[in-house]
Amino acid sequence: MAAIYPFRALRPPAEKVAEVAAVPYDVVNTEEARSLASGNPLSFLHVSRPEIDLPEGTDIYADDVYERGRENFERLKADGTLVEEDEPALYVYRLVMGAHTQTGVAAAFSVDEYDRDLIRKHERTRPDKENDRTRHILTLRAQTGPVFLTYRADRRVDALVEAETKAAPLYDFEAPDGVRHTVWRAGAPEQLARCFAEVPALYIADGHHRAASASRARATLRDANAAHTGEEEYNRFLAVVFPDEQMQILPYHRVVRDLNGRSPEEFLGEVRRRFSLTEDANPAGPGKPGHWHMYLGGRWYGLGLHEHSARTLSDDPTAALDVSLLQHNLLDPVLGVTDPRTDKRIDFVGGIRGTAELERLVDGGRAEVAFALYPTSIEDLLRVSDAGGVMPPKSTWFEPKLRDAILIHTI
């Protein structure tokens, strides 16, 4: 079963939501966050990335950063920029990006189900990022950015969600990146909850660190509460859940800073030993799975694994991913990138930035070679999660992104 709970959202008035709502804290660096929030004191980046209000060079994990975030959060509540609902509610949240539309349910979800792997995962988390978001939650006593969940589509849920969109929305605005965000307060929350109770499994699509941090924050608050009952709000975490068939995954590309001591000619020779190689590949990237495009020396090459090197889906679903095949057949044995989680020679470029960003990095000397991948499918993600597997880092880039502070869950 999948338990969902109404919650008393802390949220901005409709006339302020476009100014308050901010990109997720982890898709921008400090400089980008500072630029986005410039001239807008209501931007939630002042809370989610509060180092932007401190001197340049401030350690993003310094005590002053969390304290400034708390101060900024309290200011937004005190001046009426954020107001808590009188009653708990569920919400329907629609994202429109160009021709793509996805509509999900915003709710509080069970930390217990997360801890017991009833909410399935596919990614390892980094301790430093967990520590940061856990401290952020505990300092604010709030979860300010939703986890992005998915489930295998259920027509009964689809029908209920679609019915909710016939009412007047609470919010309907277009963010600066062109994504339209529309939110409704659900009029039939009990029916939605009953239908989700029959959904066999939920899956984390994006937001593993937020979910892990909610679990750690719950443990801290539970241990400090002698009267703990299990019904406290800290036992739940904020998320929006979308049907799998509406999800949009873009590719996550790779760039490597050097050729591991080889000349370009030597490197190409090694690649030819392992892959079929064609010249003048499409700069837009590969058009199907099992193929990769490589940018080296101002030229695009097409790569396909030799038949004896390919692995099938009947083997290990994680090993069969394009990101895994590239890692095991080229990045590790040829370029020496043994652990892409920790190796400083490799960087990742989310698909929203496009392959032009790969050309820019290589042509500008910040990388020696780049690899454009075909996007991982949502079915791949579900298959790996069902098998209890772990995807390589940076396997999926979901678009469009949910915005922080449209709906906040206080704990």
Side-chain angles (χ1 to χ4, degrees), residues 356-397:
E357 178 70 3
L358 303 182
E359 294 181 357
R360 187 185 73 82
L361 292 171
V362 173
D363 293 345
R366 295 180 60 186
E368 191 72 21
V369 62
F371 300 93
L373 284 78
Y374 190 78
T376 302
S377 72
I378 188 64
E379 188 54 40
D380 284 335
L381 183 150
L382 300 181
R383 188 182 296 114
V384 170
S385 300
D386 284 339
V390 176
M391 286 186 174
K394 310 299 184 185
S395 294
T396 54
W397 180 282

Side-chain angles (χ1 to χ4, degrees), residues 35-46:
S35 175
L36 288 172
S38 178
N40 179 10
L42 300 187
S43 170
F44 203 74
L45 287 167
H46 295 287

Side-chain angles (χ1 to χ4, degrees), residues 198-255:
E198 297 180 21
V199 170
L202 301 178
Y203 302 81
I204 297 180
D206 201 4
H208 284 79
H209 288 91
R210 291 185 184 91
S213 299
S215 176
R216 285 181 53 185
R218 189 274 287 268
T220 298
L221 295 171
R222 177 191 58 203
D223 292 347
N225 182 7
H228 172 82
T229 66
E231 296 302 317
E232 297 85 357
E233 285 300 317
Y234 58 68
N235 292 288
R236 297 160 190 166
F237 67 94
L238 176 65
V240 185
V241 60
F242 295 92
D244 63 332
E245 60 189 20
Q246 294 183 21
M247 303 291 273
Q248 178 174 250
I249 304 179
L250 301 184
Y252 227 135
H253 308 307
R254 277 87 171 114
V255 296

Side-chain angles (χ1 to χ4, degrees), residues 27-28 51 97 125 134 154 176 191 209 263 273 275 288-289 365 372:
V27 301
V28 290
E51 73 273 12
M97 178 183 181
T125 53
T134 301
D154 183 304
Q191 288 179 279
H209 288 91
S263 68
R273 288 182 54 243
F275 294 82
K288 59 183 178 180

Side-chain angles (χ1 to χ4, degrees), residues 125-163:
T125 53
R126 285 173 40 188
D128 58 336
K129 292 184 70 175
E130 269 194 43
N131 292 342
D132 169 52
R133 283 305 103 174
T134 301
R135 187 170 181 186
H136 192 264
I137 291 170
L138 291 172
T139 299
L140 302 185
R141 290 299 297 263
Q143 300 150 358
T144 61
V147 177
F148 202 143
L149 299 176
T150 190
Y151 63 101
R152 286 188 168 87
D154 183 304
R155 299 305 174 201
R156 295 167 302 169
V157 176
D158 291 347
L160 286 173
V161 169
E162 182 61 26

